[in-house]
Amino acid sequence: MKARALLLGVAALLSGCIIFDKKSEAVTFHQLASPAAATTRPGPTIFVPRSVIPSALRRPNVVLIDDTGWVRIEDAHRWVAPLDRAVSEAVGRHLTALTGLPCSTQSPTDEHLVLLLTVDKMEVFAPAGPSRSLFSIPGTAASTDTATLQVTFRLEKSDGTLLSAKTLSRSTPLKERSPTEFTQAQSANLAAVAGEIALLLPNPSSSK
């Protein structure tokens, strides 16, 4: 009987079936920082649908990628909301804080503007040097990495008329390759990108 039980146990291991306690590892949730701003101007409303993000980032986990091909998926670190929605919501709140205009992630029924966002890059940039390696262990040397963000946006009228289109890039130094530092740095990058977009928004009084 004992021999049979031992054989069943070995068979389970060979089949690749591994059972572990999911509760043994705590999960930390991260959120892109943005201000809680009140609308101070009547319109036009800016509709900001979900952004387009790289396929590697379309998961609940925080994913750290660099330009050498180094990838780390953080099982214990996740986004509070899907990243494509979080980016649009954060940009919308920044724009409201900067311009006073209302922003929405739901399509308005009246005349409005549409802001389409495509995240081209949201990664870690590792500068060239003797220590630059896909196999280097993060945290073993002084960090010279930066968090880079590249966003392409299109600003349109509700009828599809193009008002503006541009690709914007920002970078912020990283103290270390960690989900917390990465989130803080990308939050700063996103705020800078939103600031540039705000400058390109049409003046409501002159658009009538």
Side-chain angles (χ1 to χ4, degrees):
M1 194 69 181
K2 291 183 179 179
R4 184 180 179 185
L6 179 60
L7 287 173
L8 288 174
V10 172
L13 289 175
L14 292 177
S15 67
C17 179
I18 302 174
I19 301 173
F20 59 93
D21 183 8
K22 293 271 189 183
K23 297 179 181 178
S24 62
E25 187 176 19
V27 175
T28 301
F29 289 92
H30 300 268
Q31 184 173 15
L32 294 169
S34 58
T39 300
T40 58
R41 293 159 67 181
T45 298
I46 305 171
F47 170 42
V48 192
R50 287 195 178 207
S51 59
V52 177
I53 64 175
S55 58
L57 303 180
R58 296 174 196 163
R59 57 178 67 236
N61 311 76
V62 176
V63 180
L64 302 183
I65 306 173
D66 78 6
D67 59 315
T68 67
W70 178 90
V71 179
R72 187 171 74 193
I73 299 173
E74 298 287 352
D75 290 331
H77 295 268
R78 301 190 176 190
W79 297 108
V80 169
L83 187 58
D84 57 351
R85 192 180 82 196
V87 168
S88 297
E89 289 177 346
V91 169
R93 285 192 289 267
H94 280 297
L95 291 178
T96 297
L98 292 167
T99 68
L101 292 171
C103 291
S104 174
T105 55
Q106 303 294 324
S107 181
T109 55
D110 55 351
E111 188 174 346
H112 58 275
L113 300 177
V114 181
L115 179 63
L116 302 174
L117 301 171
T118 298
V119 177
D120 304 310
K121 293 181 182 179
M122 192 176 192
E123 61 187 25
V124 177
F125 173 73
S131 62
R132 177 187 173 113
S133 171
L134 174 62
F135 303 102
S136 60
I137 301 174
T140 57
S143 177
T144 54
D145 296 337
T146 57
T148 62
L149 178 69
Q150 180 176 302
V151 176
T152 298
F153 79 89
R154 284 177 58 90
L155 183 66
E156 304 175 349
K157 292 183 178 181
S158 53
D159 62 4
T161 302
L162 178 64
L163 296 176
S164 182
K166 193 173 183 180
T167 297
L168 305 171
S169 298
R170 286 292 178 271
S171 62
T172 299
L174 280 175
K175 295 180 181 177
E176 59 181 6
R177 290 194 187 188
S178 70
T180 299
E181 288 291 333
F182 184 74
T183 302
Q184 292 175 354
Q186 293 296 5
S187 294
N189 288 338
L190 208 57
V193 166
E196 283 209 42
I197 295 175
L199 298 175
L200 298 173
L201 293 177
N203 188 335
S205 62
S206 64
S207 61
K208 294 181 180 180

